[in-house]
Amino acid sequence: MRSLSARLSTLITTAGMCVLSTTALAADLTVSAAASLTNAFNDIAKAYQQQYPQDKVRLNFGASGSLLQQIQNGAPVDVFASADQQTMDQAQAKNLVRAADRVNFVNNTLVLITPKNSTLNIRNMKDLQQASIHHIALGNPAYTPAGRYAQAAMEQAKVWSKVQPKIVNVNNVRQALDYVANQSTEAGFVFGTDAAIMPDKVQVAATIPTTKAISYPIARTINTKEPAAANRFIGFVRSAKGQQILKRYGFQSVR
């Protein structure tokens, strides 16, 4: 029969190995995500950390194109979630993410909004040509997906050249939302999920059709130092729990 001291030694060694194992699994994860994901990803990060308490998630939000530039310039990012395919295509072309690592995880809609108390008769994009409309908030199409979707839709409706002088380019879709909510502009283009978080300050004048579905891709970056944790986070976003949180904020399941 083993001595008490031998058994204690084994228990201490086993406990030490468990601590080392837990420490080895711990990760400090940086997730850069489109501004329209702010509320949903804040909740997802909290739920993720409850399930994986060894991991710490740091969130960085902004226009998808701006986030891409940060990654390209060497920002230490482990997971990138874009509001459009074009930006993720660029990330892939620049060898910042791999095609095999990207996956679409949610869809959205584009909407035209006005202040809640607006008395202007705006029901479609052609109505933006009215003389009473002086300013239209729009994420800069150069790096903001919502802005690109809106510009393409206005070009298709043949109103872009007429309303372009009224456009107020802003940094991201949430800033466009704020401009309309604060009545700094008479109208603006945002995603449906953005309008849904301020129902007391903005109203949806029209849902804008787009030629392609507004699908959001997510991928771990090539330079991540936490590939296992990055995969865990992406898996959580796609899980029933993650999708439930996204649905609560108005996002649509990928078809």
Side-chain angles (χ1 to χ4, degrees):
M1 185 172 180
R2 297 174 65 192
S3 66
L4 177 60
S5 60
R7 292 200 300 271
L8 285 173
S9 177
T10 300
L11 287 172
I12 291 171
T13 300
T14 302
M17 290 176 66
C18 289
V19 171
L20 288 173
S21 177
T22 301
T23 303
L25 288 172
D28 196 342
L29 201 64
T30 298
V31 177
S32 284
S36 52
L37 291 165
T38 300
N39 300 70
F41 264 37
N42 277 327
D43 284 0
I44 283 176
K46 291 176 184 176
Y48 173 85
Q49 290 178 140
Q50 288 176 351
Q51 185 165 325
Y52 301 101
Q54 76 275 13
D55 291 351
K56 181 175 183 179
V57 179
R58 302 176 187 275
L59 297 172
N60 175 41
F61 299 106
S64 297
S66 297
L67 298 176
L68 174 61
Q69 289 179 353
Q70 292 172 11
I71 298 171
Q72 187 177 0
N73 291 334
V77 175
D78 302 291
V79 176
F80 178 40
S82 171
D84 68 336
Q85 298 297 323
Q86 180 176 325
T87 303
M88 192 64 79
D89 289 343
Q90 292 172 355
Q92 185 179 322
K94 296 175 186 296
N95 202 35
L96 301 174
V97 303
R98 296 184 181 91
D101 293 331
R102 62 184 283 186
V103 62
N104 299 335
F105 68 99
V106 83
N107 285 355
N108 211 337
T109 57
L110 181 70
V111 296
L112 174 60
I113 60 172
T114 59
K116 187 70 173 181
N117 61 356
S118 174
T119 58
L120 295 174
N121 184 23
I122 302 175
R123 296 187 178 181
N124 55 56
M125 290 180 290
K126 292 186 181 298
D127 291 335
L128 296 175
Q129 301 172 87
Q130 298 176 41
S132 56
I133 299 175
H134 306 285
H135 302 100
I136 303 166
L138 184 73
N140 192 324
Y143 49 85
T144 304
R148 282 197 293 272
Y149 286 124
Q151 180 178 340
M154 285 186 279
E155 287 174 343
Q156 188 173 14
K158 302 187 185 308
V159 299
W160 173 249
S161 60
K162 296 178 181 178
V163 304
Q164 189 174 7
K166 304 179 182 184
I167 295 296
V168 178
N169 282 321
V170 296
N171 293 327
N172 58 62
V173 72
R174 286 299 174 87
Q175 192 172 16
L177 176 66
D178 288 339
Y179 269 50
V180 179
N182 296 332
Q183 301 184 46
S184 298
T185 63
E186 291 88 4
F189 288 91
V190 299
F191 290 124
T193 53
D194 299 305
I197 67 173
M198 287 191 178
D200 57 327
K201 293 185 177 181
V202 303
Q203 58 187 346
V204 175
T207 298
I208 307 302
T210 55
T211 55
K212 296 181 180 179
I214 300 176
S215 58
Y216 286 49
I218 189 170
R220 77 181 193 188
T221 62
I222 283 180
N223 293 325
T224 177
K225 295 181 180 179
E226 305 287 358
N231 287 340
R232 277 198 299 273
F233 184 84
I234 292 171
F236 187 85
V237 169
R238 300 179 66 200
S239 71
K241 187 178 292 186
Q243 290 292 302
Q244 185 178 19
I245 293 172
L246 288 159
K247 184 177 180 180
R248 189 164 71 234
Y249 283 98
F251 288 95
Q252 303 166 357
S253 298
V254 177
R255 295 176 179 85

